[in-house]
mmCIF file of all heavy atoms in Angstrom:
data_model
loop_
_atom_site.group_PDB
_atom_site.id
_atom_site.type_symbol
_atom_site.label_atom_id
_atom_site.label_comp_id
_atom_site.label_asym_id
_atom_site.label_seq_id
_atom_site.Cartn_x
_atom_site.Cartn_y
_atom_site.Cartn_z
ATOM 1 N N ASN A 103 73.673 17.074 -30.215
ATOM 2 C CA ASN A 103 73.719 18.485 -30.624
ATOM 3 C C ASN A 103 74.631 18.674 -31.834
ATOM 4 O O ASN A 103 74.306 19.419 -32.766
ATOM 5 C CB ASN A 103 74.194 19.357 -29.467
ATOM 6 C CG ASN A 103 73.109 19.620 -28.441
ATOM 7 O OD1 ASN A 103 71.945 19.293 -28.672
ATOM 8 N ND2 ASN A 103 73.466 20.218 -27.328
ATOM 9 N N ILE A 106 72.804 17.149 -34.913
ATOM 10 C CA ILE A 106 71.715 18.026 -35.371
ATOM 11 C C ILE A 106 72.290 19.263 -36.057
ATOM 12 O O ILE A 106 71.789 19.702 -37.100
ATOM 13 C CB ILE A 106 70.814 18.432 -34.186
ATOM 14 C CG1 ILE A 106 70.045 17.217 -33.664
ATOM 15 C CG2 ILE A 106 69.825 19.525 -34.609
ATOM 16 C CD1 ILE A 106 69.273 17.469 -32.385
ATOM 17 N N SER A 107 73.362 19.814 -35.483
ATOM 18 C CA SER A 107 74.004 20.983 -36.095
ATOM 19 C C SER A 107 74.584 20.640 -37.457
ATOM 20 O O SER A 107 74.569 21.470 -38.385
ATOM 21 C CB SER A 107 75.104 21.519 -35.173
ATOM 22 O OG SER A 107 74.564 22.036 -33.976
ATOM 23 N N PRO A 132 66.619 17.788 -24.608
ATOM 24 C CA PRO A 132 67.262 18.792 -25.472
ATOM 25 C C PRO A 132 67.484 20.098 -24.710
ATOM 26 O O PRO A 132 66.680 20.463 -23.855
ATOM 27 C CB PRO A 132 66.246 18.980 -26.600
ATOM 28 C CG PRO A 132 65.397 17.752 -26.578
ATOM 29 C CD PRO A 132 65.323 17.344 -25.137
ATOM 30 N N ASP A 133 68.564 20.789 -25.032
ATOM 31 C CA ASP A 133 68.823 22.088 -24.424
ATOM 32 C C ASP A 133 68.667 23.185 -25.482
ATOM 33 O O ASP A 133 68.211 22.924 -26.598
ATOM 34 C CB ASP A 133 70.207 22.129 -23.763
ATOM 35 C CG ASP A 133 71.352 21.925 -24.754
ATOM 36 O OD1 ASP A 133 71.095 21.853 -25.985
ATOM 37 O OD2 ASP A 133 72.504 21.842 -24.308
ATOM 38 N N VAL A 134 69.041 24.394 -25.121
ATOM 39 C CA VAL A 134 68.848 25.522 -26.036
ATOM 40 C C VAL A 134 69.648 25.334 -27.322
ATOM 41 O O VAL A 134 69.221 25.749 -28.408
ATOM 42 C CB VAL A 134 69.214 26.850 -25.336
ATOM 43 C CG1 VAL A 134 70.692 26.923 -25.004
ATOM 44 C CG2 VAL A 134 68.799 28.047 -26.180
ATOM 45 N N ILE A 135 70.806 24.677 -27.227
ATOM 46 C CA ILE A 135 71.625 24.427 -28.417
ATOM 47 C C ILE A 135 70.898 23.471 -29.363
ATOM 48 O O ILE A 135 70.892 23.668 -30.585
ATOM 49 C CB ILE A 135 73.001 23.860 -28.024
ATOM 50 C CG1 ILE A 135 73.789 24.898 -27.205
ATOM 51 C CG2 ILE A 135 73.804 23.463 -29.261
ATOM 52 C CD1 ILE A 135 75.099 24.373 -26.643
ATOM 53 N N SER A 136 70.271 22.451 -28.795
ATOM 54 C CA SER A 136 69.513 21.481 -29.605
ATOM 55 C C SER A 136 68.399 22.172 -30.371
ATOM 56 O O SER A 136 68.253 22.004 -31.594
ATOM 57 C CB SER A 136 68.906 20.393 -28.712
ATOM 58 O OG SER A 136 69.783 19.942 -27.717
ATOM 59 N N TYR A 137 67.607 22.944 -29.638
ATOM 60 C CA TYR A 137 66.459 23.613 -30.260
ATOM 61 C C TYR A 137 66.898 24.682 -31.257
ATOM 62 O O TYR A 137 66.282 24.831 -32.323
ATOM 63 C CB TYR A 137 65.571 24.226 -29.181
ATOM 64 C CG TYR A 137 64.714 23.217 -28.456
ATOM 65 C CD1 TYR A 137 64.921 22.922 -27.116
ATOM 66 C CD2 TYR A 137 63.697 22.541 -29.127
ATOM 67 C CE1 TYR A 137 64.136 21.989 -26.455
ATOM 68 C CE2 TYR A 137 62.907 21.604 -28.479
ATOM 69 C CZ TYR A 137 63.131 21.337 -27.137
ATOM 70 O OH TYR A 137 62.358 20.398 -26.497
ATOM 71 N N ASN A 138 67.948 25.416 -30.936
ATOM 72 C CA ASN A 138 68.422 26.453 -31.855
ATOM 73 C C ASN A 138 68.896 25.854 -33.171
ATOM 74 O O ASN A 138 68.626 26.388 -34.251
ATOM 75 C CB ASN A 138 69.550 27.257 -31.218
ATOM 76 C CG ASN A 138 69.068 28.217 -30.149
ATOM 77 O OD1 ASN A 138 67.863 28.424 -29.992
ATOM 78 N ND2 ASN A 138 69.979 28.802 -29.401
ATOM 79 N N ALA A 139 69.608 24.735 -33.078
ATOM 80 C CA ALA A 139 70.101 24.074 -34.287
ATOM 81 C C ALA A 139 68.931 23.585 -35.139
ATOM 82 O O ALA A 139 68.938 23.712 -36.370
ATOM 83 C CB ALA A 139 71.014 22.907 -33.918
ATOM 84 N N LEU A 140 67.912 23.043 -34.476
ATOM 85 C CA LEU A 140 66.748 22.555 -35.214
ATOM 86 C C LEU A 140 65.978 23.704 -35.861
ATOM 87 O O LEU A 140 65.561 23.603 -37.025
ATOM 88 C CB LEU A 140 65.824 21.768 -34.277
ATOM 89 C CG LEU A 140 64.550 21.205 -34.903
ATOM 90 C CD1 LEU A 140 64.849 20.404 -36.167
ATOM 91 C CD2 LEU A 140 63.794 20.349 -33.894
ATOM 92 N N CYS A 165 62.669 25.154 -21.601
ATOM 93 C CA CYS A 165 63.978 25.596 -22.091
ATOM 94 C C CYS A 165 63.873 27.069 -22.507
ATOM 95 O O CYS A 165 63.062 27.423 -23.368
ATOM 96 C CB CYS A 165 64.398 24.735 -23.279
ATOM 97 S SG CYS A 165 66.076 25.016 -23.837
#
Side-chain angles (χ1 to χ4, degrees):
N103 282 351
I106 292 172
S107 294
D133 62 6
V134 66
I135 296 174
S136 318
Y137 283 113
N138 286 350
L140 179 52
C165 188

